[in-house]
Amino acid sequence: MARPRSISDERLLTALATVINTQGPGFTVADVAAEAGVSVGTVAQRFGSKHGLLKALSQQALRQVRDQVRAAPDIRTAILDTYRALDDPATAANNLGQLASDLADPELRALLGEFYAVLEAELAVHGSPQLARILSSLANGTAIAWSVDPRGSLLDRLAEDIDAVLKGWQHNG
């Protein structure tokens, strides 16, 4: 009979997210294991490799964004909640570095495409598909621009930009 797992996948993926937030794409499986307080073998046995960890994190992010956006009372809150974890310049820059690495890998790029498609589809529940696409693109672009020039708060900048688009949308809609 197999021994029950005492270390959850969620714990390992939370450690991975923390390591990406603090180190960016240069992290190792050993870094994730140290953050989780487990052996490298435990992480490798569960996910196989750094690539396996990143795939699992991407799949978890798909589920999380779907649930998070569905739970939000409106499109503005949904977007702000989605980007809240990046409201720190170092964290944003490290995640942007990881994004660049993910884009270079066909499998991770496809999962990233799924993430953005899910985000847009869920945002469309709060508004039209066109508005969801515009606001999703605005949020992504703002997050990238802010990570390069982090003046003020990312969330404040996003809120200001979202509010301007929504005001214009309501005025013209």
Side-chain angles (χ1 to χ4, degrees):
M1 178 173 11
R3 210 173 66 174
R5 290 183 176 177
S6 60
I7 308 300
S8 69
D9 286 356
E10 185 176 329
R11 176 173 161 187
L12 297 174
L13 294 176
T14 297
L16 171 59
T18 299
V19 169
I20 290 171
N21 287 343
T22 58
Q23 296 182 30
F27 76 90
T28 65
V29 172
D31 295 327
V32 176
E35 179 66 31
V38 300
S39 71
V40 172
T42 298
V43 178
Q45 181 181 29
R46 197 77 55 86
F47 297 100
S49 63
K50 182 176 177 175
H51 187 262
L53 276 164
L54 290 167
K55 280 177 32 182
L57 185 65
S58 295
Q59 291 160 343
Q60 180 188 61
L62 282 167
R63 293 185 299 274
Q64 286 176 338
V65 76
R66 182 177 288 120
D67 295 343
Q68 190 172 15
V69 173
R70 284 181 183 174
D74 55 57
I75 198 165
R76 181 183 192 271
T77 303
I79 294 168
L80 293 176
D81 287 349
T82 299
Y83 289 85
R84 188 169 307 283
L86 296 179
D87 197 19
D88 169 74
T91 298
N94 286 332
N95 277 271
L96 184 58
Q98 185 60 54
L99 171 68
S101 291
D102 291 354
L103 288 171
D105 179 285
E107 204 170 1
L108 295 174
R109 185 174 55 247
L111 286 167
L112 187 60
E114 283 182 54
F115 176 87
Y116 289 125
V118 165
L119 176 61
E120 275 188 33
E122 294 302 327
L123 289 174
V125 171
H126 295 286
S128 76
Q130 184 183 25
L131 178 61
R133 187 178 65 250
I134 290 166
L135 289 176
S136 177
S137 296
L138 170 90
N140 291 323
T142 299
I144 290 169
W146 182 84
S147 71
V148 173
D149 183 17
R151 285 178 282 144
S153 160
L154 171 61
L155 293 179
D156 290 345
R157 190 179 302 180
L158 277 172
E160 183 179 319
D161 292 350
I162 292 166
D163 290 345
V165 169
L166 290 175
K167 182 179 178 182
W169 189 268
Q170 291 165 351
H171 177 73
N172 293 320

Short mmCIF file of all heavy atoms in Angstrom, two decimals, residues 120-162:
data_model
loop_
_atom_site.label_atom_id
_atom_site.label_comp_id
_atom_site.label_asym_id
_atom_site.label_seq_id
_atom_site.Cartn_x
_atom_site.Cartn_y
_atom_site.Cartn_z
N GLU A 120 -10.25 36.49 -20.25
CA GLU A 120 -11.16 37.27 -21.10
C GLU A 120 -12.58 36.73 -21.04
O GLU A 120 -13.55 37.48 -20.94
CB GLU A 120 -10.69 37.28 -22.55
CG GLU A 120 -9.69 38.35 -22.83
CD GLU A 120 -9.38 38.45 -24.32
OE1 GLU A 120 -10.27 38.21 -25.16
OE2 GLU A 120 -8.22 38.79 -24.63
N ALA A 121 -12.72 35.41 -21.13
CA ALA A 121 -14.05 34.80 -21.11
C ALA A 121 -14.76 35.07 -19.79
O ALA A 121 -15.95 35.38 -19.78
CB ALA A 121 -13.95 33.29 -21.35
N GLU A 122 -14.05 34.99 -18.70
CA GLU A 122 -14.67 35.23 -17.40
C GLU A 122 -14.97 36.71 -17.20
O GLU A 122 -15.99 37.07 -16.62
CB GLU A 122 -13.79 34.69 -16.27
CG GLU A 122 -13.66 33.18 -16.27
CD GLU A 122 -14.98 32.44 -16.16
OE1 GLU A 122 -15.92 32.95 -15.50
OE2 GLU A 122 -15.09 31.35 -16.74
N LEU A 123 -14.09 37.59 -17.70
CA LEU A 123 -14.38 39.02 -17.62
C LEU A 123 -15.61 39.37 -18.44
O LEU A 123 -16.37 40.28 -18.08
CB LEU A 123 -13.17 39.85 -18.09
CG LEU A 123 -11.95 39.87 -17.17
CD1 LEU A 123 -10.81 40.60 -17.86
CD2 LEU A 123 -12.27 40.47 -15.82
N ALA A 124 -15.82 38.67 -19.54
CA ALA A 124 -16.97 38.94 -20.41
C ALA A 124 -18.29 38.69 -19.69
O ALA A 124 -19.32 39.28 -20.07
CB ALA A 124 -16.89 38.10 -21.68
N VAL A 125 -18.28 37.88 -18.64
CA VAL A 125 -19.49 37.65 -17.84
C VAL A 125 -19.92 38.97 -17.18
O VAL A 125 -21.10 39.22 -16.98
CB VAL A 125 -19.24 36.55 -16.77
CG1 VAL A 125 -20.39 36.46 -15.80
CG2 VAL A 125 -18.99 35.22 -17.46
N HIS A 126 -18.93 39.82 -16.88
CA HIS A 126 -19.20 41.11 -16.23
C HIS A 126 -19.45 42.24 -17.24
O HIS A 126 -19.71 43.37 -16.86
CB HIS A 126 -18.02 41.51 -15.32
CG HIS A 126 -17.80 40.59 -14.18
ND1 HIS A 126 -18.62 40.56 -13.08
CD2 HIS A 126 -16.85 39.66 -13.95
CE1 HIS A 126 -18.18 39.67 -12.22
NE2 HIS A 126 -17.10 39.10 -12.73
N GLY A 127 -19.29 41.96 -18.52
CA GLY A 127 -19.45 42.97 -19.57
C GLY A 127 -19.44 42.28 -20.91
O GLY A 127 -19.51 41.07 -21.00
N SER A 128 -19.29 43.04 -21.96
CA SER A 128 -19.27 42.44 -23.30
C SER A 128 -17.92 41.78 -23.57
O SER A 128 -16.92 42.14 -22.95
CB SER A 128 -19.54 43.52 -24.34
OG SER A 128 -18.38 44.31 -24.53
N PRO A 129 -17.86 40.86 -24.54
CA PRO A 129 -16.57 40.27 -24.91
C PRO A 129 -15.55 41.31 -25.38
O PRO A 129 -14.38 41.21 -25.07
CB PRO A 129 -16.93 39.30 -26.05
CG PRO A 129 -18.36 38.94 -25.79
CD PRO A 129 -18.98 40.20 -25.22
N GLN A 130 -16.02 42.33 -26.10
CA GLN A 130 -15.11 43.38 -26.56
C GLN A 130 -14.54 44.17 -25.39
O GLN A 130 -13.34 44.44 -25.33
CB GLN A 130 -15.82 44.31 -27.53
CG GLN A 130 -14.88 45.36 -28.11
CD GLN A 130 -15.59 46.35 -29.02
OE1 GLN A 130 -16.80 46.56 -28.90
NE2 GLN A 130 -14.84 46.95 -29.93
N LEU A 131 -15.39 44.52 -24.43
CA LEU A 131 -14.91 45.23 -23.24
C LEU A 131 -13.93 44.36 -22.46
O LEU A 131 -12.89 44.86 -22.00
CB LEU A 131 -16.08 45.65 -22.34
CG LEU A 131 -15.72 46.37 -21.05
CD1 LEU A 131 -14.98 47.68 -21.34
CD2 LEU A 131 -16.97 46.62 -20.21
N ALA A 132 -14.22 43.09 -22.34
CA ALA A 132 -13.33 42.17 -21.63
C ALA A 132 -11.96 42.12 -22.31
O ALA A 132 -10.92 42.16 -21.65
CB ALA A 132 -13.95 40.78 -21.57
N ARG A 133 -11.95 42.05 -23.65
CA ARG A 133 -10.69 42.00 -24.40
C ARG A 133 -9.91 43.31 -24.22
O ARG A 133 -8.70 43.30 -23.99
CB ARG A 133 -10.96 41.73 -25.87
CG ARG A 133 -9.69 41.52 -26.69
CD ARG A 133 -9.94 41.19 -28.15
NE ARG A 133 -10.58 42.32 -28.84
CZ ARG A 133 -11.84 42.33 -29.28
NH1 ARG A 133 -12.61 41.28 -29.12
NH2 ARG A 133 -12.33 43.39 -29.89
N ILE A 134 -10.59 44.43 -24.29
CA ILE A 134 -9.94 45.74 -24.13
C ILE A 134 -9.34 45.87 -22.73
O ILE A 134 -8.18 46.25 -22.57
CB ILE A 134 -10.94 46.88 -24.41
CG1 ILE A 134 -11.29 46.92 -25.89
CG2 ILE A 134 -10.39 48.22 -23.93
CD1 ILE A 134 -12.51 47.79 -26.22
N LEU A 135 -10.13 45.53 -21.72
CA LEU A 135 -9.64 45.68 -20.34
C LEU A 135 -8.55 44.67 -20.01
O LEU A 135 -7.62 44.98 -19.27
CB LEU A 135 -10.80 45.60 -19.36
CG LEU A 135 -11.74 46.80 -19.38
CD1 LEU A 135 -12.92 46.59 -18.44
CD2 LEU A 135 -11.00 48.09 -19.04
N SER A 136 -8.65 43.47 -20.54
CA SER A 136 -7.60 42.48 -20.33
C SER A 136 -6.29 42.95 -20.96
O SER A 136 -5.22 42.88 -20.33
CB SER A 136 -8.02 41.13 -20.93
OG SER A 136 -7.00 40.18 -20.80
N SER A 137 -6.37 43.46 -22.18
CA SER A 137 -5.17 43.98 -22.85
C SER A 137 -4.61 45.19 -22.10
O SER A 137 -3.39 45.32 -21.94
CB SER A 137 -5.50 44.37 -24.29
OG SER A 137 -5.88 43.24 -25.03
N LEU A 138 -5.48 46.06 -21.66
CA LEU A 138 -5.06 47.23 -20.89
C LEU A 138 -4.33 46.79 -19.61
O LEU A 138 -3.25 47.31 -19.30
CB LEU A 138 -6.27 48.09 -20.52
CG LEU A 138 -5.98 49.21 -19.53
CD1 LEU A 138 -5.57 50.47 -20.26
CD2 LEU A 138 -7.18 49.45 -18.67
N ALA A 139 -4.90 45.84 -18.90
CA ALA A 139 -4.29 45.38 -17.64
C ALA A 139 -2.94 44.73 -17.89
O ALA A 139 -1.98 45.00 -17.16
CB ALA A 139 -5.24 44.42 -16.93
N ASN A 140 -2.86 43.90 -18.92
CA ASN A 140 -1.58 43.25 -19.22
C ASN A 140 -0.52 44.28 -19.61
O ASN A 140 0.60 44.23 -19.11
CB ASN A 140 -1.76 42.22 -20.35
CG ASN A 140 -2.56 41.04 -19.92
OD1 ASN A 140 -2.45 40.58 -18.79
ND2 ASN A 140 -3.38 40.52 -20.81
N GLY A 141 -0.88 45.20 -20.47
CA GLY A 141 0.06 46.23 -20.89
C GLY A 141 0.48 47.14 -19.74
O GLY A 141 1.65 47.48 -19.61
N THR A 142 -0.47 47.50 -18.92
CA THR A 142 -0.17 48.35 -17.77
C THR A 142 0.78 47.63 -16.81
O THR A 142 1.72 48.22 -16.30
CB THR A 142 -1.46 48.79 -17.05
OG1 THR A 142 -2.26 49.54 -17.97
CG2 THR A 142 -1.17 49.63 -15.82
N ALA A 143 0.52 46.35 -16.57
CA ALA A 143 1.37 45.57 -15.66
C ALA A 143 2.80 45.49 -16.19
O ALA A 143 3.77 45.64 -15.43
CB ALA A 143 0.80 44.18 -15.43
N ILE A 144 2.95 45.29 -17.49
CA ILE A 144 4.29 45.23 -18.08
C ILE A 144 4.96 46.60 -18.00
O ILE A 144 6.10 46.70 -17.54
CB ILE A 144 4.23 44.73 -19.54
CG1 ILE A 144 3.84 43.25 -19.56
CG2 ILE A 144 5.56 44.95 -20.25
CD1 ILE A 144 3.50 42.71 -20.92
N ALA A 145 4.26 47.65 -18.40
CA ALA A 145 4.85 49.00 -18.37
C ALA A 145 5.21 49.40 -16.93
O ALA A 145 6.28 49.97 -16.69
CB ALA A 145 3.87 50.00 -18.97
N TRP A 146 4.33 49.07 -15.98
CA TRP A 146 4.59 49.43 -14.60
C TRP A 146 5.79 48.66 -14.04
O TRP A 146 6.56 49.20 -13.25
CB TRP A 146 3.35 49.18 -13.75
CG TRP A 146 3.53 49.58 -12.32
CD1 TRP A 146 3.38 50.83 -11.79
CD2 TRP A 146 3.91 48.73 -11.23
NE1 TRP A 146 3.64 50.81 -10.43
CE2 TRP A 146 3.97 49.53 -10.07
CE3 TRP A 146 4.20 47.38 -11.13
CZ2 TRP A 146 4.30 49.01 -8.82
CZ3 TRP A 146 4.54 46.85 -9.88
CH2 TRP A 146 4.58 47.68 -8.75
N SER A 147 5.98 47.41 -14.46
CA SER A 147 7.12 46.65 -13.94
C SER A 147 8.45 47.25 -14.41
O SER A 147 9.46 47.10 -13.73
CB SER A 147 7.02 45.17 -14.34
OG SER A 147 7.24 45.00 -15.71
N VAL A 148 8.43 47.96 -15.53
CA VAL A 148 9.62 48.62 -16.03
C VAL A 148 9.80 49.99 -15.36
O VAL A 148 10.92 50.41 -15.07
CB VAL A 148 9.54 48.79 -17.57
CG1 VAL A 148 10.68 49.63 -18.11
CG2 VAL A 148 9.50 47.42 -18.24
N ASP A 149 8.70 50.67 -15.07
CA ASP A 149 8.73 52.01 -14.48
C ASP A 149 7.69 52.07 -13.36
O ASP A 149 6.61 52.63 -13.54
CB ASP A 149 8.43 53.05 -15.56
CG ASP A 149 8.51 54.48 -15.04
OD1 ASP A 149 9.10 54.71 -13.96
OD2 ASP A 149 7.95 55.37 -15.71
N PRO A 150 8.02 51.49 -12.21
CA PRO A 150 7.02 51.33 -11.14
C PRO A 150 6.81 52.58 -10.28
O PRO A 150 7.13 52.61 -9.10
CB PRO A 150 7.59 50.18 -10.31
CG PRO A 150 9.07 50.30 -10.49
CD PRO A 150 9.27 50.82 -11.88
N ARG A 151 6.25 53.60 -10.89
CA ARG A 151 5.89 54.80 -10.11
C ARG A 151 4.51 54.58 -9.52
O ARG A 151 3.58 54.20 -10.22
CB ARG A 151 5.90 56.04 -11.00
CG ARG A 151 7.32 56.50 -11.33
CD ARG A 151 7.32 57.69 -12.23
NE ARG A 151 7.06 57.19 -13.59
CZ ARG A 151 6.34 57.85 -14.49
NH1 ARG A 151 5.81 59.01 -14.21
NH2 ARG A 151 6.16 57.34 -15.69
N GLY A 152 4.37 54.85 -8.22
CA GLY A 152 3.09 54.64 -7.54
C GLY A 152 2.78 53.16 -7.42
O GLY A 152 3.65 52.31 -7.51
N SER A 153 1.52 52.89 -7.26
CA SER A 153 1.05 51.52 -7.09
C SER A 153 0.49 50.99 -8.41
O SER A 153 -0.22 51.71 -9.13
CB SER A 153 -0.06 51.52 -6.02
OG SER A 153 -0.86 50.36 -6.12
N LEU A 154 0.80 49.73 -8.72
CA LEU A 154 0.22 49.11 -9.90
C LEU A 154 -1.31 49.12 -9.82
O LEU A 154 -1.99 49.46 -10.78
CB LEU A 154 0.71 47.66 -10.06
CG LEU A 154 0.01 46.83 -11.14
CD1 LEU A 154 0.18 47.45 -12.52
CD2 LEU A 154 0.50 45.40 -11.09
N LEU A 155 -1.84 48.78 -8.66
CA LEU A 155 -3.30 48.72 -8.53
C LEU A 155 -3.94 50.09 -8.70
O LEU A 155 -5.01 50.20 -9.30
CB LEU A 155 -3.69 48.10 -7.19
CG LEU A 155 -3.32 46.61 -7.05
CD1 LEU A 155 -3.73 46.10 -5.68
CD2 LEU A 155 -3.93 45.77 -8.15
N ASP A 156 -3.28 51.13 -8.20
CA ASP A 156 -3.82 52.48 -8.39
C ASP A 156 -3.81 52.87 -9.87
O ASP A 156 -4.77 53.44 -10.38
CB ASP A 156 -3.02 53.51 -7.59
CG ASP A 156 -3.23 53.39 -6.08
OD1 ASP A 156 -4.19 52.71 -5.66
OD2 ASP A 156 -2.42 53.96 -5.33
N ARG A 157 -2.71 52.53 -10.55
CA ARG A 157 -2.63 52.85 -11.97
C ARG A 157 -3.68 52.06 -12.76
O ARG A 157 -4.36 52.60 -13.63
CB ARG A 157 -1.23 52.57 -12.52
CG ARG A 157 -1.06 53.12 -13.93
CD ARG A 157 0.29 52.90 -14.53
NE ARG A 157 1.36 53.49 -13.75
CZ ARG A 157 2.65 53.41 -14.10
NH1 ARG A 157 2.98 52.79 -15.21
NH2 ARG A 157 3.57 53.94 -13.35
N LEU A 158 -3.81 50.76 -12.45
CA LEU A 158 -4.83 49.95 -13.12
C LEU A 158 -6.23 50.50 -12.87
O LEU A 158 -7.03 50.61 -13.80
CB LEU A 158 -4.76 48.50 -12.63
CG LEU A 158 -3.73 47.60 -13.28
CD1 LEU A 158 -3.67 46.26 -12.54
CD2 LEU A 158 -4.04 47.39 -14.74
N ALA A 159 -6.52 50.83 -11.62
CA ALA A 159 -7.86 51.34 -11.28
C ALA A 159 -8.15 52.62 -12.06
O ALA A 159 -9.26 52.78 -12.61
CB ALA A 159 -7.96 51.59 -9.78
N GLU A 160 -7.18 53.50 -12.13
CA GLU A 160 -7.37 54.76 -12.86
C GLU A 160 -7.63 54.49 -14.34
O GLU A 160 -8.54 55.07 -14.94
CB GLU A 160 -6.12 55.62 -12.69
CG GLU A 160 -6.21 56.99 -13.32
CD GLU A 160 -4.93 57.80 -13.08
OE1 GLU A 160 -4.38 57.75 -11.96
OE2 GLU A 160 -4.50 58.46 -14.04
N ASP A 161 -6.85 53.59 -14.93
CA ASP A 161 -7.02 53.28 -16.36
C ASP A 161 -8.34 52.55 -16.62
O ASP A 161 -9.04 52.86 -17.59
CB ASP A 161 -5.84 52.45 -16.86
CG ASP A 161 -4.53 53.21 -16.89
OD1 ASP A 161 -4.54 54.45 -16.70
OD2 ASP A 161 -3.48 52.57 -17.09
N ILE A 162 -8.68 51.60 -15.78
CA ILE A 162 -9.94 50.87 -15.94
C ILE A 162 -11.12 51.82 -15.81
O ILE A 162 -12.06 51.77 -16.61
CB ILE A 162 -10.05 49.73 -14.89
CG1 ILE A 162 -9.02 48.64 -15.19
CG2 ILE A 162 -11.46 49.14 -14.86
CD1 ILE A 162 -8.81 47.67 -14.03
#
